[in-house]
Amino acid sequence: MRWLPRLSLSTQLRLGLAVLALLFAIMDHSLLAGLPWILLVVTLDLAASGFQYLSLSGRAIGRVQLMVLFGASAAVAGIAMGYAGPWSKVLILIPAYHAGTKFSRRGALMVFGVGLVTGGSTVLLLGHYTEGEAQRILLASVFSLVFGLLGAWSHRMEEEDEEAVVDPNVAAEAGLLLRRLHELAETLDTGFDAPASAEMALQDLATQMRAARSAILVGYGDDPAVPLAIRGADRTPWPDPMEPTSVLSKTWHEGVPTLSEWADDLVGRSVIVVPLNDNNGDRLGLLVADRPLVTPFTEEDLEAAGQVASRHAANIDLSVLFAGLRERAGLEERERLAREMHDGIAQEMVALAFGIDSLRRTARNTDSPLADDLDGLRVEVSRVLADLRLHIADLRIAVRPDTGLGALIGARLQNFGSTSGVTTRMHLSENGFRLPAHTEVLIYRLFLQVLADARHSLNADTVEVRLNVAAPRVELWVAHNGTSSLGIRDFGEHPLTSLGGEIAVEPYAGDGVAIRMRMRARGAAPSATLSNERIPQPS
């Protein structure tokens, strides 16, 4: 019986229903009368599970025996419905779900018919027939049908996932590419670290010319510009290249190197902008450098910058594409988990809520003292189900070019406020530049961690968020006024710290907590602009 420690989620649900029936029998003071029926139904159900596990041949005789076990379990549950008290109506759900997962709609209909017939026949034979009892047996049988159909649907979804076939030629090609990527990663000084590759390009540029500020901006097609590396400032000082009046706009849209003057800063600037192109000649980003206009760049500097861009463009392109593949794999895994939670435990929780509703209705009709307890249990199940749905929504993180970090956090905060009744406030400041996708996902997860702490707090009624994004610099401040379990130990090994982020935990509104995260670019200067730049004149 090695399969017993590895009970599936559906088996755990069926055992949970048995325990629920046992609790109801205890509360109804009919434990001695109900225990034999509960044990008999559970024994038949476990026997069916064990037979299904041990029957590996898949022969017809195995399916017939399994159907007989389900029919026997449904008959016992039906007799219990007609013989015992209201608690016995839960037992019919156990074989219904199991039969639905194994025999689809045919199994669900079989359990429904056997349970209804045996339950009604038992009531008539014992002389217990009343209109109310007949309605309760019919309602329990209908719920068993619904429960069985849910089991059939979840089983069909699992089979569709298992039937997904991968083209062997595509798989072989992907294997060759991954092996080649592994070989390339060992030969590159920076591996596939996109910011490190960009910093190497800026270091190479620094050996060719003097520049006060320089940066590598990456953006494919119509995607917004993402600063991968920056020197001489802690935020991108130039206007968004997608704006027509930006000093970067011509190179961004036309892909031609430019040497121009920019007078909109504190001091006049001489600016070099060189495109970074991929193997197909398409623009993947920009190399930008500037310095005060008193020492302007020359055409020789523009040519040298173009050579630097040519040497490093392929490495940067490879690093960015690899980072995108890695991020996509992580998002697909989260989406898979969210789908399994939605199609599995969430649906089973809904079915359990339906069963509790049936018991509540029966308890009210019979003036049972358990009515209030069942109402409280239904409220608790609704709370757990709402919390589960929020977790599923949190798993489905989708960072897209048209959805910035501010929009993502704002939408999630609004959803949290509408579902929980908590007052929410948000202050947002964003420029036209974007953070790297993996950085935005990590910041969003940090926000979700604080939001989960507020959701689990018993007295939180206010959540406040402040987000200031001036890529590659970002500051996030999230606070709530409820009792918190968060401490600095919870963020000691947070992935954002490896990217240069600093996380602090501060008190807020008495028992509340505030989490502050600051991130600056690696190698950034202490201030956004250098007002006292001293660049020597060319000799």
Side-chain angles (χ1 to χ4, degrees):
M1 290 297 179
R2 294 176 297 174
W3 56 275
L4 282 174
R6 299 191 297 270
L7 292 177
S8 65
L9 187 61
S10 61
T11 303
Q12 296 178 27
L13 174 65
R14 300 195 303 273
L15 291 178
L17 290 172
V19 172
L20 184 64
L22 186 63
L23 292 176
F24 287 162
I26 293 174
M27 290 185 291
D28 198 32
H29 304 291
S30 56
L31 176 61
L32 294 178
L35 190 58
W37 297 104
I38 297 173
L39 291 177
L40 186 54
V41 171
V42 171
T43 300
L44 290 171
D45 185 77
L46 292 178
S49 298
F51 181 80
Q52 183 178 352
Y53 178 81
L54 296 174
S55 181
L56 302 178
S57 61
R59 296 175 299 175
I61 184 63
R63 294 179 61 86
V64 171
Q65 293 173 353
L66 196 59
M67 181 66 84
V68 170
L69 282 174
F70 289 149
S73 181
V76 171
I79 295 173
M81 282 197 301
Y83 178 83
W87 55 267
S88 62
K89 309 302 187 292
V90 179
L91 296 178
I92 192 65
L93 301 180
I94 298 176
Y97 187 84
H98 199 176
T101 57
K102 183 61 181 176
F103 295 100
S104 188
R105 288 174 294 182
R106 183 175 57 179
L109 290 171
M110 184 270 291
V111 172
F112 165 76
V114 171
L116 182 61
V117 171
T118 54
S121 300
T122 302
V123 168
L124 292 174
L125 290 175
L126 296 177
H128 294 167
Y129 178 83
T130 62
E131 184 177 353
E133 184 66 14
Q135 291 177 353
R136 286 190 287 272
I137 292 176
L138 177 61
L139 187 60
S141 301
V142 171
F143 272 116
S144 72
L145 178 61
V146 174
F147 218 60
L149 293 177
L150 285 174
W153 178 71
S154 64
H155 183 65
R156 184 172 67 254
M157 296 294 292
E158 293 174 359
E159 288 181 341
E160 290 176 358
D161 291 340
E162 293 174 356
E163 291 174 358
V165 179
V166 179
D167 187 350
N169 295 328
V170 175
E173 182 180 354
L176 291 174
L177 288 175
L178 289 176
R179 290 188 183 92
R180 182 55 181 159
L181 285 174
H182 180 71
E183 295 172 358
L184 287 174
E186 294 180 346
T187 61
L188 296 174
D189 293 336
T190 59
F192 292 135
D193 185 357
S197 300
E199 287 177 356
M200 285 190 65
L202 295 184
Q203 179 63 32
D204 191 4
L205 181 68
T207 63
Q208 303 295 322
M209 66 191 71
R210 300 182 183 93
R213 302 181 299 199
S214 57
I216 297 293
L217 310 178
V218 172
Y220 295 86
D222 296 330
D223 294 351
V226 175
L228 281 188
I230 188 168
R231 287 192 173 193
D234 61 359
R235 66 181 69 188
T236 311
W238 309 283
D240 183 358
M242 302 184 76
E243 297 178 2
T245 58
S246 172
V247 68
L248 314 178
S249 177
K250 183 176 181 180
T251 306
W252 183 266
H253 291 99
E254 300 178 13
V256 295
T258 58
L259 173 59
S260 58
E261 298 179 358
W262 181 41
D264 293 338
D265 203 6
L266 296 177
V267 296
R269 298 273 173 176
S270 178
V271 183
I272 283 179
V273 188
V274 178
L276 297 167
N277 297 321
D278 59 16
N279 294 333
N280 298 324
D282 298 327
R283 184 260 304 157
L284 66 93
L286 303 177
L287 185 154
V288 188
D290 76 0
R291 65 189 186 190
L293 198 54
V294 294
T295 56
F297 290 112
T298 63
E299 291 293 336
E300 289 76 13
D301 294 328
L302 181 62
E303 183 179 354
Q307 294 174 358
V308 171
S310 299
R311 286 195 294 270
H312 293 272
N315 194 6
I316 293 174
D317 184 30
L318 175 62
S319 301
V320 172
L321 290 176
F322 185 78
L325 289 174
R326 184 169 51 192
E327 187 63 31
R328 179 178 178 181
L331 293 176
E332 287 179 350
E333 178 65 15
R334 296 173 67 87
E335 176 65 26
R336 184 188 67 82
L337 292 174
R339 184 174 63 252
E340 289 186 355
M341 290 174 62
H342 178 272
D343 296 342
I345 186 64
Q347 300 298 331
E348 293 169 357
M349 287 293 297
V350 170
L352 180 61
F354 288 156
I356 295 176
D357 287 338
S358 173
L359 293 174
R360 291 169 61 206
R361 188 177 299 106
T362 302
R364 285 196 298 268
N365 292 339
T366 59
D367 295 329
S368 172
L370 300 177
D372 293 338
D373 294 335
L374 290 175
D375 290 340
L377 180 61
R378 184 61 173 88
V379 171
E380 185 65 16
V381 170
S382 298
R383 184 194 64 79
V384 173
L385 188 58
D387 195 43
L388 179 63
R389 286 169 175 165
L390 287 176
H391 283 299
I392 293 174
D394 293 344
L395 282 172
R396 288 173 170 164
I397 300 175
V399 178
R400 302 184 301 274
D402 58 341
T403 305
L405 180 62
L408 199 65
I409 290 179
R412 185 64 183 83
L413 187 65
Q414 183 180 14
N415 184 24
F416 174 79
S418 62
T419 57
S420 64
V422 174
T423 302
T424 58
R425 291 190 292 268
M426 182 173 182
H427 175 78
L428 173 64
S429 176
E430 279 188 305
N431 60 13
F433 294 94
R434 285 284 298 273
L435 295 165
H438 70 283
T439 304
E440 290 187 343
V441 170
L442 291 175
I443 295 173
Y444 183 64
R445 291 179 186 172
L446 175 64
F447 162 74
L448 292 179
Q449 187 175 355
V450 182
L451 210 61
D453 184 63
R455 184 168 62 243
H456 295 149
S457 176
L458 299 177
N459 56 343
D461 56 19
T462 301
V463 175
E464 188 172 355
V465 179
R466 301 173 194 168
L467 177 65
N468 184 3
V469 181
R473 180 180 178 180
V474 59
E475 181 175 355
L476 173 69
W477 183 87
V478 189
H480 70 82
N481 63 347
T483 303
S484 174
S485 61
L486 294 178
I488 191 61
R489 64 186 181 280
D490 298 307
F491 307 100
E493 298 181 357
H494 197 278
L496 284 171
T497 59
S498 63
L499 301 179
E502 300 175 357
I503 303 177
V505 180
E506 306 167 353
Y508 174 78
D511 295 334
V513 67
I515 307 300
R516 186 185 301 274
M517 191 283 300
R518 294 188 180 96
M519 179 180 292
R520 294 173 54 199
R522 291 185 287 188
S527 60
T529 58
L530 305 180
S531 57
N532 297 318
E533 296 156 322
R534 300 296 184 193
I535 301 179
Q537 295 285 344
S539 58

